[in-house]
Amino acid sequence: MILELDCGNSFIKWRVLPRGGVGAVLASGVADNGEELIEALADRFVRQLSTCRLVSVRADDETRLLCAALSARFAIECQVAKPAQVLAGVRNGYEDYQRLGLDRWLAVVGAYSLERGACLVLDLGTAITSDFVDAGGAHLGGFICPGMPLMRSQLLTHTRRIRYDSKAAEHASDSLVPGRSTAEAVERGCRLMLRGFVATQLEQARQQCGADVAVFLTGGDAAMAAEWVPAARVVPDLVFIGLAIACPVTGEK
């Protein structure tokens, strides 16, 4: 079985695939740290994992420690995705290609592999990233801005009178009319900022890449953004699709 990891700034997303990478996902989850990840896997896959591939935006030392812990516990080797100037027909658009976040890069590669045409890739997580790819596979660059979690946390952290719980936040998101409580004002305000950013990216993508540009949404708030872009494709595992291209396992097709 193949263990795949997406080691982001906040969490480690993981999933287990059949050997060869063909077939339905056998298990998946989210861990706060490496110890929690190993504990979750050891309960079910102690002798069944054959290899691991991962993408990490964490410090090199932290990534090496995680790989060493996985190798020691499950007797597997870890393939770590590396920056590339060209991969699967996509040309990295950064002036210094090694500075483009690997999760962004793999999401772009994954989207282009599915579309084989112009793409706008929006990853809506803790931060929001957008990336533009033209029909020939040239990555044209992109943008980074705070996502819903960051916008919310900054207001809660730096504004003394803004305080509310998760239940109030959930209730506040039912509408986008002007808020009549602090929770409604913050949650709806942040959502409107997110909607405005998405609309701007779509407009720019059509200018940069053509009217037929395909829109891919991934990340925790992708489903919410899909309400504003009905033609978009929501692909939660977009980074993993790119990871499989960057780090093929022997026997995979």
Side-chain angles (χ1 to χ4, degrees):
M1 297 178 182
I2 301 170
L3 171 63
E4 295 185 329
L5 304 177
D6 176 4
C7 304
N9 292 305
S10 302
F11 305 104
I12 301 174
K13 300 174 186 176
W14 62 270
R15 69 179 193 176
V16 175
L17 304 178
R19 185 170 182 82
V22 178
V25 175
L26 300 176
S28 63
V30 177
D32 288 332
N33 51 58
E35 292 79 7
E36 185 177 303
L37 169 68
I38 289 173
E39 183 178 345
L41 294 170
D43 288 341
R44 302 175 61 181
F45 302 107
V46 64
R47 293 184 179 85
Q48 297 168 289
L49 299 177
S50 57
T51 190
C52 170
R53 58 187 171 208
L54 66 91
V55 55
S56 176
V57 298
R58 301 185 175 197
D60 291 343
D61 286 346
E62 187 176 355
T63 301
R64 280 194 292 268
L65 286 172
L66 176 60
C67 290
L70 289 167
S71 296
R73 184 67 179 82
F74 301 105
I76 57 175
E77 293 187 3
C78 298
Q79 288 191 72
V80 182
K82 302 296 184 184
Q85 291 180 300
V86 180
L87 179 62
V90 183
R91 298 184 300 282
N92 193 313
Y94 260 31
E95 293 178 359
D96 179 357
Y97 75 93
Q98 298 186 72
R99 300 290 295 175
L100 177 62
L102 277 169
D103 50 351
R104 286 176 63 191
W105 172 237
L106 294 185
V108 164
V109 170
Y112 191 77
S113 74
L114 296 175
E115 181 64 23
R116 289 297 168 187
C119 302
L120 166 63
V121 181
L122 288 166
D123 188 341
L124 301 107
T126 303
I128 301 171
T129 62
S130 69
D131 286 282
F132 305 84
V133 186
D134 71 14
H139 173 234
L140 306 178
F143 298 95
I144 304 173
C145 72
M148 284 285 290
L150 272 181
M151 287 191 283
R152 182 188 297 117
S153 68
Q154 286 299 300
L155 285 169
L156 293 173
T157 300
H158 296 289
T159 309
R160 292 184 179 181
R161 292 185 178 272
I162 293 182
R163 295 288 183 272
Y164 56 90
D165 58 24
S166 58
K167 186 175 182 179
E170 184 178 355
H171 175 73
S173 64
D174 291 342
S175 171
L176 287 179
V177 301
R180 296 174 64 86
S181 69
T182 299
E184 290 178 352
V186 170
E187 293 296 318
R188 295 173 188 178
C190 290
R191 184 172 287 216
L192 284 171
M193 290 189 72
L194 177 57
R195 187 171 74 172
F197 179 79
V198 170
T200 301
Q201 299 311 292
L202 183 57
E203 178 182 353
Q204 187 156 351
R206 288 169 176 162
Q207 294 173 355
Q208 296 277 338
C209 305
D212 295 331
V213 62
V215 182
F216 288 84
L217 304 176
T218 192
D221 286 320
M224 177 173 61
E227 299 175 9
W228 310 322
V229 191
R233 296 175 63 177
V234 177
V235 186
D237 58 354
L238 197 55
V239 172
F240 285 133
I241 292 172
L243 178 61
I245 296 170
C247 300
V249 174
T250 302
E252 265 190 312
K253 297 182 179 179

